[in-house]
Amino acid sequence: MSSSMRCMSQTATGPVSLAQTGRMSQAASGLSVSLVPRQLSTRLTAERRHNCSITRRPRLRAVRSLPVLASSARADEPSLVRQSRPSWNYKLGAVYQHFLPGPLLFLPSLLQPISTIISLEGALHGHEWVHWLLSLLPVPQVVMQFPVLDLVNVLYQQHLDLANGVLDAAISLAGIYFSFVLMPAMDAVLGTDLHPKTLAERKAASEDMRYRALLWTWVGLHCGMLALCADAVHGHNMHPLACLGLMLSLGAEGALGFVVSHELVHGHHKMDQWLANVMLCTTGYMHWSVSHIAHHTQVATVDDPASARLGESLYHFVPRSVAGNWKDAAAIEIARLHAHHHSPFSMHNRMFMWAAAPLAMLAVMSSAFGAEGMTMCVGQAALSVLMLEAANYVQHYGLQRCRLPNGRYEGVRPDHSWNANWLFTNSCMFQLPLHSDHHMHGAKPYQALQDKREAPQLPASYSVMALLAMVPIAFFSVMDPRAIAAQQTHDQG
């Protein structure tokens, strides 16, 4: 064996210096072995003779690399998991992304206002649609095949108004069907996003104003839908069940409106801040634009009202979070006024605006659309807030930052937020479920967020987890073991 080959054998079996380790790493990364100079071989041989305790290290071997996705094998994103065997729905997700490039990927978010339009029309004319469809079918033959329909038909003849109201209500829930049925179903079909953007693509997207324009458009659509729904309940003889269904659908739209507000609150454009306040005014939650900043500072600590604790139910969390958000916003505003030498009773106090603007909006709605329109506005706002808090509940459930010896908390890490990379939900929710990266880089726009695979992963999308949270025992059985494991991994790290 030549001197150079003996040197390579000794570097694989004995302790080596930092420079030698770097050379070995270069050889391993290129899957090729370079010859070591004779001088280095002589020195390594001498070192081995004087070393009595040599720890055997695995011999470097050139192995055939597994096929990986080209888009995920990048040096600028070492945290991404390279998937050698894409799931069965990988190709469908790839086709979905191919036909919706750039800002078009987030156009499905507009399906929520569209579903509200369907809800509105269904609340007004749903039973007429059903009657028309039944007129096209051989109803007697269908009833003979399904005897239970005969009973339904008898009840329909005896309680016509109630039956029509039920049909209207069933279609008026189109917005709920979209959020809690269609979105999870599409996630199951399209799967997760296996095509993360490159660094250059993320930089270009961050500077593309079309992404901001989509958010601004969304605010206008929601305000228009709120006025249309208020007018519909005021000017038409709508069944109470249909009114309730429409209110639920509009509340689901308002919950997605919170996602839009969230992105605008983090924006740097003047239009972003103004439209964020307009959007939050429709839900009576304008103080959230300030309390959410405190959430980023206190996230995953006992000081944060918007971080759910291990074993805490949704029904205990929601009132604590709502009250805590008001408390945080008030404390921040008082501190701001004190820093600028303003009295808390001066017009510089934004708390007056947070209360007065929603009340003024309700006064306008009551004047234009009566008590029915105002009730619709209040109801959808309450439901929107409940859905927002359900999302908050899921996002940080059971995750805690450690307190350092100096009394401060450790910095925010990816494992302080639950991550979810479902393709369709991320398209509709402006990638809010990529929550770990958002808390690591709060100023990063939604189109540039990355999937942090080292973060704890939710077993399902937000809508599924929110429904599961309504049954605390079921939620605890699914999430507590995951939260405990994630916290143990964090503590060991």
Side-chain angles (χ1 to χ4, degrees):
M1 182 183 294
S2 64
S3 172
S4 59
M5 294 304 294
R6 285 195 305 271
C7 177
M8 287 305 301
S9 175
Q10 290 159 3
T11 30
T13 58
V16 293
S17 65
L18 182 61
Q20 298 156 13
T21 305
R23 188 164 305 181
M24 289 176 61
S25 299
Q26 276 190 338
S29 63
L31 296 180
S32 61
V33 180
S34 59
L35 296 179
V36 183
R38 182 180 299 273
Q39 294 85 350
L40 181 58
S41 172
T42 303
R43 182 165 61 86
L44 287 175
T45 303
E47 287 179 0
R48 187 180 180 188
R49 288 173 182 170
H50 290 85
N51 193 346
C52 298
S53 58
I54 299 176
T55 304
R56 178 169 294 276
R57 303 175 65 184
R59 189 179 300 274
L60 295 175
R61 294 185 300 175
V63 295
R64 186 175 60 183
S65 60
L66 295 174
V68 297
L69 300 176
S71 60
S72 64
R74 298 194 307 273
D76 63 306
E77 290 185 8
S79 62
L80 291 174
V81 173
R82 305 181 183 185
Q83 303 193 30
S84 58
R85 291 187 179 181
S87 57
W88 66 272
N89 51 10
Y90 162 72
K91 291 185 178 180
L92 292 177
V95 171
Y96 174 83
Q97 291 176 291
H98 174 75
F99 284 102
L100 294 176
L104 297 181
L105 182 63
F106 301 99
L107 278 184
S109 65
L110 298 179
L111 293 175
Q112 187 74 65
I114 292 174
S115 69
T116 307
I117 294 176
I118 297 174
S119 299
L120 174 58
E121 291 300 316
L124 294 172
H125 310 292
H127 66 279
E128 298 175 7
W129 297 351
V130 174
H131 292 167
W132 177 76
L133 288 174
L134 290 177
S135 68
L136 303 178
L137 298 175
V139 177
Q141 290 82 347
V142 174
V143 171
M144 290 177 62
Q145 294 293 329
F146 302 96
V148 68
L149 294 180
D150 191 18
L151 177 61
V152 173
N153 186 44
V154 172
L155 293 175
Y156 194 91
Q157 296 297 329
Q158 296 178 356
H159 305 282
L160 180 61
D161 292 340
L162 177 60
N164 286 337
V166 170
L167 291 176
D168 291 344
I171 301 178
S172 70
L173 291 171
I176 296 296
Y177 301 149
F178 176 78
S179 295
F180 296 99
V181 179
L182 182 61
M183 285 175 62
M186 290 298 295
D187 286 334
V189 171
L190 299 179
T192 56
D193 184 3
L194 299 180
H195 284 281
K197 293 183 178 67
T198 63
L199 183 61
E201 290 171 339
R202 294 197 305 273
K203 183 177 180 181
S206 299
E207 300 170 354
D208 193 338
M209 285 298 294
R210 292 178 296 175
Y211 292 94
R212 313 304 297 173
L214 182 58
L215 298 173
W216 300 347
T217 301
W218 219 100
V219 176
L221 288 174
H222 179 68
C223 292
M225 286 307 307
L226 184 58
L228 285 175
C229 292
D231 177 65
V233 297
H234 172 64
H236 298 81
N237 187 21
M238 189 180 296
H239 195 278
L241 291 177
C243 289
L244 179 60
L246 181 59
M247 184 187 298
L248 290 171
S249 292
L250 193 58
E253 181 184 311
L256 191 52
F258 266 115
V259 179
V260 175
S261 303
H262 170 264
E263 185 61 31
L264 293 174
V265 163
H266 284 284
H268 301 290
H269 199 282
K270 289 184 178 180
M271 183 66 75
D272 290 347
Q273 303 302 319
W274 187 80
L275 289 177
N277 282 322
V278 170
M279 193 73 187
L280 292 172
C281 181
T282 64
T283 56
Y285 226 56
M286 295 184 71
H287 64 283
W288 188 76
S289 62
V290 173
S291 65
H292 182 69
I293 305 304
H295 166 65
H296 272 260
T297 303
Q298 303 173 155
V299 64
T301 69
V302 294
D303 302 324
D304 182 30
S307 294
R309 296 152 190 172
L310 186 67
E312 183 179 25
S313 72
L314 175 66
Y315 305 103
H316 181 271
F317 169 80
V318 170
R320 181 175 70 84
S321 180
V322 171
N325 272 282
W326 266 109
K327 182 180 178 181
D328 284 349
I332 292 173
E333 184 61 12
I334 293 298
R336 186 188 71 87
L337 292 170
H338 180 74
H340 290 83
H341 307 289
H342 296 311
S343 169
F345 302 100
S346 68
M347 294 306 297
H348 296 282
N349 191 339
R350 291 180 294 180
M351 287 188 282
F352 294 134
M353 180 189 68
W354 298 340
L359 290 176
M361 184 194 69
L362 287 180
V364 171
M365 297 293 281
S366 177
S367 175
F369 308 115
E372 302 92 339
M374 185 183 69
T375 303
M376 173 64 68
C377 186
V378 172
Q380 67 84 29
L383 291 167
S384 299
V385 171
L386 289 176
M387 292 183 186
L388 164 72
E389 296 300 346
N392 286 339
Y393 176 73
V394 170
Q395 286 167 347
H396 306 283
Y397 175 80
L399 305 178
Q400 289 289 317
R401 287 155 62 191
C402 297
R403 192 182 290 273
L404 302 176
N406 60 6
R408 305 176 65 118
Y409 287 105
E410 63 175 322
V412 178
R413 292 171 27 176
D415 50 4
H416 294 137
S417 305
W418 290 99
N419 197 66
N421 191 29
W422 301 100
L423 185 56
F424 189 75
T425 291
N426 281 346
S427 292
C428 296
M429 298 188 69
F430 300 99
Q431 301 203 131
L432 179 69
L434 300 182
H435 214 58
S436 297
D437 192 30
H438 169 65
H439 271 276
M440 291 290 294
H441 310 95
K444 185 184 290 188
Y446 71 92
Q447 65 269 25
L449 292 176
Q450 301 170 254
D451 178 28
K452 295 293 185 182
R453 298 304 301 174
E454 68 270 28
Q457 304 293 315
L458 286 175
S461 59
Y462 275 20
S463 54
V464 175
M465 299 307 299
L467 289 175
L468 189 65
M470 296 176 67
V471 185
I473 295 178
F475 184 83
F476 294 155
S477 65
V478 171
M479 289 302 297
D480 282 11
R482 289 175 168 84
I484 293 172
Q487 194 65 41
Q488 288 175 346
T489 302
H490 167 267
D491 294 342
Q492 293 171 359

